[in-house]
Amino acid sequence: MEPNPKRIRRSARQPGSRRRHCANGLGRSRPEFKPVKIVPEVSVIIPVYNMEQFLEDCLNSVLAQTFTDFEIVIVNDGSTDRSAAIVEQIATKDNRFVIFHQENKGLSEARNTGIKAARGNWITFVDSDDMLVPTFLQKLLDAAKQNNASIACSDKRLFWKESDIGNSETSTTKAIALSSEKALERALYQKNGPDYSAWSKLYDSQIWQSRKFTPGIYFEDMDCIPQVLLEAKKIAFVPEPLYLNRRHGTSILATAYNRQKAELLNIAERICTLVKGKDAELQRAAHSNLFSASCSILMRTPDTNEFKDFRERAWKHIKEFRQETLFNANSRTRNKAAALISFGGKALFGLALRRFG
């Protein structure tokens, strides 16, 4: 039997009256806060694995939130660098931290540990190399409550280094209320709305009572979040970049695929099954997502026996949906180009992907 994660509940002193300045360049002082309640309004779940370079900026951006009734659930997933020490040091100054240490089990299991520990009425996930705009929690909570939504989400801003962020202040924009099917449709088209990442969202905690992330897979968000969106009663989308997503060379999307990463195709196929019989536009969005995944398979896997099944299925999907992709106004330009080139045959298509993909 595997040992249970070690849990540490912080009971550190309250910060003094002096306002602490955030070290992440977001231009906000850390707000004063009242002692955490027995049941905080929000649980911020942050899985941590070997992120010593970015972790302090991430935590400071959470502590700089204008909304203060939250707990920070840290799950140290077997880090071998200074990540655990950084968390412990910052947690001595704030009693809203709940810290778990466990053997390395991967992102999904770390999030699942956080979900089990979360006490808040709402849950949000933050990757430990990302940051939040100071109004992230307040604006999403307001959007959820004003629209009677079980999920509120924001747009994101991509950055490679802190100097890319610039002024993080955003305007006050009214949230857009979306049905579950419309939200998932936008996510699958990957434009004009929510995406299917776990982060950048605030969830009614009841959503996670009987749900967890699948352990041991890549693309765990794409595997889980489409189902979560589809089952939500309503989604509120705030069209402001309140979540700051760091990009770097170790991203899964920036590397060649092994068999685990090739499971992307299985997940995209399951999404098509998930939406079968639903709204026609939602089904087209799922087809578009499967077309993209199929292109990725042919571009990022070698033409060997190990990947023969994945590559044959991918080419089959490309031929099946290329005409629909060409005439779908919501298809991305790169997908339309790929669909057009595919009519030249598999060899030409593969060459184009390797050269221009």
Side-chain angles (χ1 to χ4, degrees):
M1 179 178 295
E2 294 185 351
N4 290 327
K6 182 179 179 183
R7 181 180 190 274
I8 302 175
R9 178 68 200 174
R10 285 293 171 189
S11 57
R13 63 176 176 82
Q14 292 286 325
S17 58
R18 184 167 61 90
R19 293 168 70 88
R20 299 182 58 83
H21 289 275
C22 187
N24 57 17
L26 294 180
R28 284 292 185 99
S29 299
R30 183 180 299 174
E32 300 296 333
F33 64 91
K34 299 177 182 179
V36 67
K37 299 188 301 184
I38 298 301
V39 179
E41 187 69 2
V42 178
S43 293
V44 181
I45 298 174
I46 308 178
V48 176
Y49 179 70
N50 289 355
M51 278 295 167
E52 62 180 2
Q53 183 178 356
F54 310 117
L55 183 55
E56 188 171 358
D57 285 342
C58 171
L59 297 180
N60 281 334
S61 78
V62 177
L63 293 173
Q65 292 297 295
T66 58
F67 180 83
T68 60
D69 183 13
F70 60 85
E71 64 175 356
I72 306 173
V73 181
I74 301 288
V75 182
N76 173 35
D77 192 39
S79 295
T80 57
D81 64 357
R82 292 185 58 256
S83 294
I86 292 170
V87 171
E88 296 286 351
Q89 192 276 327
I90 293 178
T92 62
K93 304 173 184 179
D94 197 300
N95 74 344
R96 291 174 290 182
F97 281 85
V98 183
I99 305 171
F100 291 84
H101 298 283
Q102 66 182 30
E103 296 177 356
N104 179 247
K105 298 179 181 180
L107 178 58
S108 290
E109 287 282 39
R111 283 177 175 166
N112 291 339
T113 296
I115 290 168
K116 291 176 185 176
R119 300 173 302 143
N121 297 316
W122 299 84
I123 286 176
T124 191
F125 301 99
V126 180
D127 282 0
S128 56
D129 54 344
D130 292 342
M131 294 191 286
L132 305 178
V133 168
T135 53
F136 174 84
L137 289 179
Q138 186 68 69
K139 289 190 174 183
L140 291 196
L141 192 60
D142 288 346
K145 292 183 175 180
Q146 290 167 7
N147 290 278
N148 192 29
S150 52
I151 301 174
C153 41
S154 76
D155 205 347
K156 63 182 179 291
R157 177 179 297 172
L158 306 181
F159 74 101
W160 278 258
K161 54 187 182 298
E162 277 73 16
S163 60
D164 296 332
I165 296 174
N167 182 10
S168 64
E169 293 296 327
T170 58
S171 59
T172 301
T173 307
K174 186 176 180 180
I176 302 168
L178 300 170
S179 68
S180 58
E181 291 193 5
K182 181 57 67 173
L184 179 54
E185 175 193 317
R186 289 190 176 196
L188 293 174
Y189 279 129
Q190 300 179 55
K191 64 179 183 179
N192 298 330
D195 57 23
Y196 47 67
S197 58
W199 39 257
S200 78
K201 297 172 181 62
L202 186 68
Y203 308 86
D204 185 325
S205 61
Q206 294 298 313
I207 289 174
W208 297 99
Q209 290 297 308
S210 58
R211 182 177 295 283
K212 63 180 183 179
F213 291 91
T214 303
I217 66 169
Y218 286 92
F219 306 107
E220 56 280 309
D221 288 3
M222 185 176 168
D223 173 68
C224 178
I225 300 304
Q227 299 178 60
V228 171
L229 292 175
L230 197 56
E231 293 172 8
K233 62 181 180 181
K234 188 188 295 184
I235 291 95
F237 174 63
V238 179
E240 300 177 38
L242 304 177
Y243 190 95
L244 307 175
N245 177 227
R246 188 185 301 270
R247 314 298 287 177
H248 44 77
T250 57
S251 168
I252 291 173
L253 297 177
T255 58
Y257 286 0
N258 56 23
R259 283 192 66 85
Q260 272 191 306
K261 294 177 183 179
E263 290 176 359
L264 169 70
L265 189 66
N266 299 338
I267 295 170
E269 289 171 340
R270 288 199 294 269
I271 292 174
C272 286
T273 301
L274 177 69
V275 304
K276 191 173 182 179
K278 303 287 186 182
D279 177 77
E281 189 55 47
L282 176 56
Q283 294 186 67
R284 282 192 287 272
H287 297 163
S288 176
N289 181 68
L290 179 54
F291 185 92
S292 294
S294 298
C295 290
S296 294
I297 292 297
L298 291 181
M299 180 170 60
R300 299 188 183 279
T301 61
D303 189 5
T304 62
N305 285 336
E306 181 181 8
F307 296 96
K308 181 179 179 180
D309 175 62
F310 288 104
R311 294 177 64 84
E312 287 181 349
R313 284 157 50 204
W315 180 241
K316 175 178 176 290
H317 294 318
I318 287 169
K319 290 191 295 181
E320 181 181 4
F321 296 120
R322 59 190 177 187
Q323 185 167 336
E324 180 179 285
T325 298
L326 269 176
F327 293 101
N328 185 345
N330 290 310
S331 294
R332 292 184 294 174
T333 302
R334 62 185 298 175
N335 279 5
K336 289 179 179 290
L340 187 60
I341 294 171
S342 73
F343 284 99
K346 188 175 183 180
L348 176 63
F349 186 73
L351 177 64
L353 285 179
R354 289 190 295 273
R355 184 166 183 178
F356 303 111

